Amino acid sequence: MVLHPKSKVRVAGQEVTFCCKASGTPVPKKYYWYHNGTMLEKKVHRYGQRLVLRGLAPEQAGTYHCKASTEAGAIKSAPAQLTVLGENGTGFLRASATPGWGLPSECPQDATGSRYYNVGRCPPTPCASGPDGRSGCGVEAGHCCGVRRMEMREIPCAGSLLPLKVVAECGCGPCAQPRILVQGRVTAADTGEPLRFGQIFLGGKKVGFTGYKGSFTIEVPPDTQRLVARFVDRQQRFLDTIKVLPFNRRGGAVYQEVKMLRKKEPVDLDGNQSNAIPLGEASGREPIGELVLPAGAFLRPSGEVFKGTVKASVTFLDPRDMTTAGAASSDLSFTDAEGEIVPLRTYGMFAVDFREGESGAMLQTGPVEVRMDAGQVWMPEHLQKMKLWSLNPETGLWEEEGVLRPAGGSRGKREERTFLVGNLEIRERRLFNLDVPEDRRCFVKVRAYSNEKFNPYEQVEGVVISLINLEPQPGFPSNPRAWGRFDSVVTGPNGACLPAFCDGQRPDAYSAYITATLGGEELEAVASSPKLNPNAVGVSQPYLGKLGYRRLDHDDPNLKKTAFQINVAKPDPNNVDETNGPIYPYRSLEECEAAPVSANHLRFYRVEVDKYEYNVVPFKESDLTSWTGDYLSWWPNPQEFRACFIKVRIEGPQEYMVRSRNVGGSHPRTRGQLYGLRDTRSVRDMLLENTSGACVEFKCSGMLFDQSLVDRTLVSIIPQGSCQRTAINSLLREYLSNNHTAAFTMLAPVDPLGHNYGIYTVTDQNPRLAKEIAIGRCFDGTSDGFSREMKADTGTAVTFTCQERPAGRESFFQRLLTAPAEA
C-alpha cells in the first residue's frame, strides 16, 4: 500500500474524498472501501482508488479503509478517521483545566497541599478545514485547535512574585507539520562494534549513511505508516539488517539501538556433489535443521549450472539464544488473504550467501531442501502450521515460500529424529524463516512516567517499549526455552499497547519480557521483591497474581532492574477482575489505546538525580504539540531543540542543590524578564574526596521564536547553602557579568563552545534526547555516553567551595533565587 487514506474533519453537508493506492505484480486494479469494517456498495458509491462522499451526515462519521486485491493476494490500508461536525462547526473553543504546572519548592502550597498551578490547555477538538470541505488526493494540512492568547499571572513565592503564563483563549488554525525523525546507533550484536559508514535504504532508495560511531538519523517521509529501513555493511562483514522502526507521529525523534548479525565464515563446497549445511548447531545444541543442496543445485544468474568450488556462508539466527532477539530482521509479520498484517512466531531465520570460489560472483540455486527437526517444536499444534518464508526487503513483510511437511524417513546418524521438509529456490531473496502464523493474540498496556510517583500528568511520550515473546519449556514453568517474536511501540499521551501472544486456557503458556528506553537510557521497572505492591505495579489483584509479575532482579539483586517478565494471560470476559487491563483481547485494540489512566496498566519510570524545571511559558517536553510561540518560551523553535549545560564543581562535605536563573539579557522584548529556573542536585565525584559536580541546564542564547533578533541570555548559577565562588574557567572570564562571590552570572555565548570551557551544547529534534546527550557529555566527556558518573578530568566552568548551611539562611536563599534581575 503506497498511499493510505488520511483522517479528515468536515461540517455536515460538506463533501470528503478518501484516496488509496497499492502497487504489486500484477498491478492491483480491484479496490474495496469499508466504513467501520463494513464494505460499502460499489454500485452506490462508484468508487475505485477514490471514495467521494457528498452531503455528509453525522452518521457517516467513523473509520474508513480500503483494500486492494489481485489473484496474487490482498493488502489493507491503515484506517482514516472521518469526523463530521454540526452545521455550526466547532463553536467556541474554551481553555480547559489541567492537572497543573509544578511551582518551585519555595512557593506556598494551596489548601490541598499541592504546589501545582492550573495553566489551562486547549482541548484536542477537531476543526473543519476550509469553507467548502472539498479535497482531492493531495496534501491537506488540516486545521487544529491551539493557543490563540496567553495571559501573565504573578504568583507570590518567598517574598517575590514569580511570573507564569496561562492559556486565556483557544482557536482554530493550520496544523503544525511536525518533523518526525528516527535516530540511533547500529552495532554488531556480538561485540558492539559500530557499523561505520554503512548504507541506509528506505525501500529501494538510499537515504544516507551511518556515522563513524554507527549513529544515524532518518527523517520519516510524510504519510508513512510503516517505516522499513535496510542497513547495509559495504564491507560485507555483517548481514543486511531490515528493521521496521517505530516512530512518534506527533513529531520529534525516537532513539533506536539496531543490532547486526555477523556473517558466518564461508566454507568451500563442491558444486558437483550433494551438500548439507546444519542450521543452528552453535553452543553445543542439536541443530534446528539443515539445508540440503543436491548436486548441480548452484546456478549462475543466466541459469547455467555452476560445477566449481562454491564459497557458502549460511548464518542462522537461533531463537534458543535469548540475546539474538534484538538482531532479528523485520517485525515478523505477513499479509493474510484478507490483506491484514498479522504476526508470525519464529523457530529460526537463516541468511544465505553463495559465491563462485574464484571470481566471487553471486550464485543462485535451483530447488533445495530445508529439513527441520520436528523435536524442536514444543507446541504440537505448530507442527501442522509450519511454513517457509522469505523476507521482502522493501515492505519488511515475510512472504510464503512453501509448507513444511513430515518427511517419509530419516537419514544417517539421525535416524531416530523426525523431520519437517520443505523446498525453495534461492534467487534475489536471501533471508528465510521457519515460522508459524499465530492467532492467539492480545495487547499489553504499558505506560512510562518521569518518576516513581506515577502521577498521571507526568507520563513520558516517545519512550520505546519493547516486548519479547517467550516460549516456555514443556510444562510451562517460568524459565523460557526460546523467544518467538520481538515487538516495539512508542508511547504516546496515553501510553502504548504492545502486541503479544496469549492463551486463555493456560495463563503461563506464553510469557514475555518487557523493557523501556528513552534516548538510549533504560527506564526502571517496578520492583517485585521483597514484597509485590499492586498499587506500584499498576495492576490490581487477583489478576496481578495470575500474570506472575517478576522484575529481573526478583531472585538476584545484582541483575538489572530495567525489565520484567509476565505471563500473557488472556483476560476471562466472564471475570470482572480481568476486564480492566492490562491485557486486552486482540479485537479490543481501540479499548486498550483509549483506556483511562485509572485502568490497570504496567509501568516504567525514569531514575533521575534530584532536579526541578520551571518554565514561565508551560511546555511539556514529551508532547511537542504543547509548544506555544512566545517571546518567553524556553524552547524558541519547535522543530529544533538546542540544550545547553554548564558544569559546576563543588568542594564541600555533601551534595548540594544548584539553580540556574535565566532571564532576557539583550533582546528588547525580554530584557530582565524570567524565562525559567532549573534546579539540579550535585553528584558525588567518584575520584575526588569532598567533591561533587552538577551539570546544570541553562537557556541557550540565540534567536527567539520570531527568528528576528538574538538574545544573550543572562544566566545566574547559584548553589544552595553557604557557598563562595573560588574559581572560574579562564576561557569563560569574558562572559562573566558581575563579581558576586556567591553566584556566577554570565551573558551566555551565542555560539556553541568546546567542552574545555565547561559548557556543553547539543541540538536535536527531540528536547529530551538533546538534553540526555548534553548531560552525558557533561558528566563523563563522551559523545553519546548517557552516563551519570561524574568524572574529574572533564572541563569545569565554575568552582564553588561550600559549607553546611548556617541556621536562618533558608529564607535568604529563597529570596536570592527568585529576586528580579534588576535587584
Side-chain angles (χ1 to χ4, degrees):
M1 187 65 64
V2 296
L3 177 64
H4 296 262
K6 301 172 181 62
S7 295
K8 297 182 180 180
V9 181
R10 293 290 184 269
V11 174
Q14 291 182 337
E15 73 172 48
V16 68
T17 300
F18 291 111
C19 311
C20 75
K21 184 179 180 181
S23 66
T25 305
V27 176
K29 294 182 179 179
K30 294 181 179 179
Y31 287 85
Y32 305 93
W33 285 91
Y34 296 78
H35 175 220
N36 293 335
T38 301
M39 190 173 75
L40 299 172
E41 290 187 38
K42 201 163 191 174
K43 291 182 179 179
V44 174
H45 294 278
R46 300 180 181 277
Y47 58 68
Q49 295 181 21
R50 293 188 180 200
L51 171 67
V52 180
L53 303 174
R54 298 181 175 86
L56 286 171
E59 59 269 19
Q60 290 178 282
T63 59
Y64 288 82
H65 77 268
C66 78
K67 181 174 77 171
S69 67
T70 69
E71 55 268 31
I75 185 72
K76 282 183 181 179
S77 74
Q81 184 72 31
L82 173 63
T83 303
V84 180
L85 305 175
E87 292 184 1
N88 293 327
T90 58
F92 183 71
L93 300 173
R94 299 179 182 273
S96 59
T98 63
W101 187 251
L103 300 176
S105 59
E106 60 267 19
C107 297
Q109 299 178 354
D110 63 15
T112 65
S114 172
R115 288 194 179 92
Y116 288 90
Y117 192 91
N118 176 25
V119 296
R121 63 186 286 269
C122 289
T125 305
C127 298
S129 53
D132 57 3
R134 293 178 179 272
S135 66
C137 294
V139 177
E140 182 177 329
H143 281 62
C144 299
C145 177
V147 176
R148 180 169 288 175
R149 183 171 59 87
M150 301 189 81
E151 291 180 352
M152 183 71 81
R153 300 279 193 271
E154 291 185 329
I155 302 162
C157 290
S160 64
L161 297 176
L162 189 67
L164 177 64
K165 288 202 168 184
V166 300
V167 177
E169 183 181 346
C170 302
C172 289
C175 299
Q177 297 301 314
R179 192 180 181 200
I180 303 173
L181 300 177
V182 173
Q183 298 175 321
R185 200 163 57 120
V186 187
T187 57
D190 53 355
T191 63
E193 173 190 355
L195 174 66
R196 295 190 172 102
F197 312 117
Q199 296 174 319
I200 305 172
F201 293 83
L202 295 184
K205 180 181 178 182
K206 185 166 66 177
V207 296
F209 297 87
T210 60
Y212 181 75
K213 294 191 175 182
S215 58
F216 69 90
T217 298
I218 298 173
E219 183 162 1
V220 181
D223 302 325
T224 298
Q225 295 292 329
R226 181 178 165 87
L227 181 64
V228 180
R230 179 163 57 103
F231 299 91
V232 177
D233 176 19
R234 293 188 291 177
Q235 300 180 28
Q236 292 296 303
R237 297 168 302 153
F238 304 112
L239 294 178
D240 291 1
T241 299
I242 298 166
K243 288 289 185 181
V244 180
L245 299 172
F247 56 92
N248 189 353
R249 300 181 188 278
R250 295 161 65 88
V254 169
Y255 186 91
Q256 283 277 18
E257 291 279 356
V258 175
K259 302 296 183 183
M260 297 188 81
L261 277 183
R262 193 178 300 274
K263 274 188 177 180
K264 191 168 184 179
E265 288 296 321
V267 296
D268 290 341
L269 302 179
D270 186 347
N272 290 313
Q273 297 182 1
S274 177
N275 297 277
I277 301 175
L279 302 175
E281 78 283 11
S283 304
R285 298 185 179 99
E286 284 286 344
I288 288 283
E290 59 188 2
L291 182 63
V292 180
L293 303 129
F298 296 105
L299 307 173
R300 289 191 169 104
S302 63
E304 175 190 357
V305 175
F306 179 76
K307 299 182 178 180
T309 300
V310 177
K311 294 284 186 182
S313 171
V314 178
T315 307
F316 187 75
L317 186 144
D318 195 335
R320 295 174 298 180
D321 181 356
M322 295 297 297
T323 64
T324 63
S329 271
S330 87
D331 61 352
L332 285 169
S333 299
F334 77 106
T335 305
D336 66 10
E338 294 299 316
E340 186 175 352
I341 295 177
V342 291
L344 291 167
R345 183 256 184 263
T346 187
Y347 279 87
M349 305 178 188
F350 60 97
V352 299
D353 189 347
F354 299 137
R355 297 178 183 268
E356 296 183 21
E358 294 183 1
S359 68
M362 292 284 289
L363 292 172
Q364 301 177 355
T365 75
V368 298
E369 194 174 82
V370 178
R371 299 168 63 87
M372 181 181 179
D373 182 3
Q376 298 289 344
V377 182
W378 291 91
M379 305 189 79
E381 60 268 33
H382 287 176
L383 289 171
Q384 306 302 319
K385 300 190 294 182
M386 193 71 63
K387 295 181 179 181
L388 271 170
W389 310 77
S390 65
L391 184 62
N392 184 326
E394 293 193 10
T395 65
L397 294 170
W398 295 90
E399 298 176 1
E400 186 177 334
E401 290 281 341
V403 178
L404 290 168
R405 302 291 189 192
S410 304
R411 303 187 312 117
K413 63 179 181 180
R414 296 182 182 148
E415 289 181 355
E416 72 284 358
R417 304 169 73 193
T418 58
F419 288 90
L420 302 176
V421 178
N423 294 282
L424 58 83
E425 295 185 10
I426 300 171
R427 304 292 182 179
E428 291 81 10
R429 303 265 176 99
R430 299 280 163 157
L431 184 59
F432 303 94
N433 206 345
L434 305 167
D435 270 25
V436 293
E438 184 58 270
D439 54 7
R440 288 178 289 187
R441 295 171 278 165
C442 288
F443 287 98
V444 181
K445 184 72 176 211
V446 182
R447 299 179 188 268
Y449 294 84
S450 60
N451 55 59
E452 57 184 325
K453 296 178 183 177
F454 304 120
N455 290 320
Y457 44 86
E458 292 184 318
Q459 292 188 67
V460 182
E461 297 183 41
V463 176
V464 179
I465 311 290
S466 298
L467 183 147
I468 304 175
N469 287 271
L470 307 175
E471 178 200 341
Q473 293 181 2
F476 309 108
S478 60
N479 189 30
R481 191 188 72 92
W483 64 270
R485 184 176 170 81
F486 183 95
D487 281 286
S488 293
V489 178
V490 177
T491 58
N494 202 33
C497 295
L498 290 107
F501 298 142
C502 60
D503 194 282
Q505 303 299 318
R506 302 167 298 186
D508 52 359
Y510 291 95
S511 58
Y513 277 133
I514 303 178
T515 63
T517 60
L518 176 66
E521 169 201 356
E522 294 179 296
L523 275 63
E524 191 158 307
V526 179
S528 59
S529 63
K531 185 178 179 180
L532 191 62
N533 182 353
N535 291 329
V537 176
V539 181
S540 58
Q541 293 285 22
Y543 199 17
L544 179 59
K546 189 174 180 179
L547 297 181
Y549 177 94
R550 293 166 65 91
R551 196 167 70 175
L552 287 190
D553 65 336
H554 185 86
D555 297 317
D556 185 354
N558 295 319
L559 294 178
K560 283 186 173 184
K561 300 174 174 60
T562 53
F564 60 83
Q565 182 178 346
I566 61 167
N567 300 322
V568 190
K570 186 176 182 179
D572 181 355
N574 299 316
N575 187 338
V576 68
D577 294 324
E578 299 181 12
T579 58
N580 196 32
I583 313 296
Y584 293 83
Y586 184 72
R587 296 299 176 187
S588 300
L589 175 58
E590 289 186 15
E591 181 185 349
C592 176
E593 292 179 335
V597 72
S598 57
N600 287 338
H601 60 274
L602 297 160
R603 294 169 171 171
F604 286 92
Y605 63 93
R606 300 192 70 195
V607 180
E608 298 180 327
V609 295
D610 190 8
K611 69 179 189 179
Y612 167 77
E613 300 180 356
Y614 176 82
N615 297 336
V616 170
V617 179
F619 172 66
K620 188 178 179 182
E621 290 177 353
S622 61
D623 180 8
L624 302 188
T625 62
S626 67
W627 180 86
T628 303
D630 191 282
Y631 281 102
L632 294 178
S633 294
W634 184 275
W635 304 100
N637 186 346
Q639 301 292 347
E640 183 177 86
F641 297 92
R642 187 162 168 242
C644 293
F645 284 78
I646 184 169
K647 186 166 186 176
V648 179
R649 177 171 166 175
I650 296 180
E651 296 172 344
Q654 62 183 40
E655 297 176 344
Y656 295 83
M657 290 296 293
V658 183
R659 171 169 288 186
S660 76
R661 189 172 188 276
N662 306 265
V663 300
S666 61
H667 196 287
R669 294 290 297 267
T670 64
R671 188 180 295 121
Q673 296 186 65
L674 184 69
Y675 290 116
L677 308 172
R678 296 292 187 269
D679 292 351
T680 304
R681 183 172 296 280
S682 63
V683 177
R684 182 70 55 192
D685 195 299
M686 304 299 290
L687 303 177
L688 298 177
E689 187 178 359
N690 288 331
T691 301
S692 63
C695 291
V696 186
E697 184 184 8
F698 65 90
K699 187 183 185 306
C700 306
S701 293
M703 292 286 186
L704 299 185
F705 91 100
D706 62 358
Q707 301 295 302
S708 106
L709 286 177
V710 166
D711 183 33
R712 294 280 305 277
T713 311
L714 184 64
V715 180
S716 296
I717 304 297
I718 314 163
Q720 177 186 11
S722 179
C723 301
Q724 294 293 316
R725 193 182 73 232
T726 55
I728 299 174
N729 188 319
S730 60
L731 297 171
L732 280 178
R733 289 194 176 275
E734 63 180 285
Y735 299 97
L736 183 65
S737 180
N738 64 30
N739 280 322
H740 195 294
T741 58
F744 170 75
T745 303
M746 70 172 178
L747 279 168
V750 176
D751 298 320
L753 302 178
H755 70 271
N756 53 332
Y757 283 72
I759 289 179
Y760 301 81
T761 304
V762 171
T763 301
D764 197 273
Q765 280 70 32
N766 184 318
R768 285 189 174 273
L769 191 55
K771 291 162 71 169
E772 286 295 320
I773 297 174
I775 293 173
R777 293 178 183 176
C778 177
F779 267 73
D780 60 18
T782 61
S783 61
D784 52 4
F786 308 112
S787 172
R788 294 297 179 271
E789 180 178 306
M790 180 61 67
K791 294 184 180 178
D793 58 350
T794 53
T796 297
V798 59
T799 301
F800 290 87
T801 300
C802 300
Q803 300 173 354
E804 295 287 353
R805 183 199 308 278
R809 288 292 298 274
E810 180 70 26
S811 60
F812 167 77
F813 177 63
Q814 291 177 347
R815 292 199 303 274
L816 177 67
L817 294 181
T818 57
E822 61 271 13

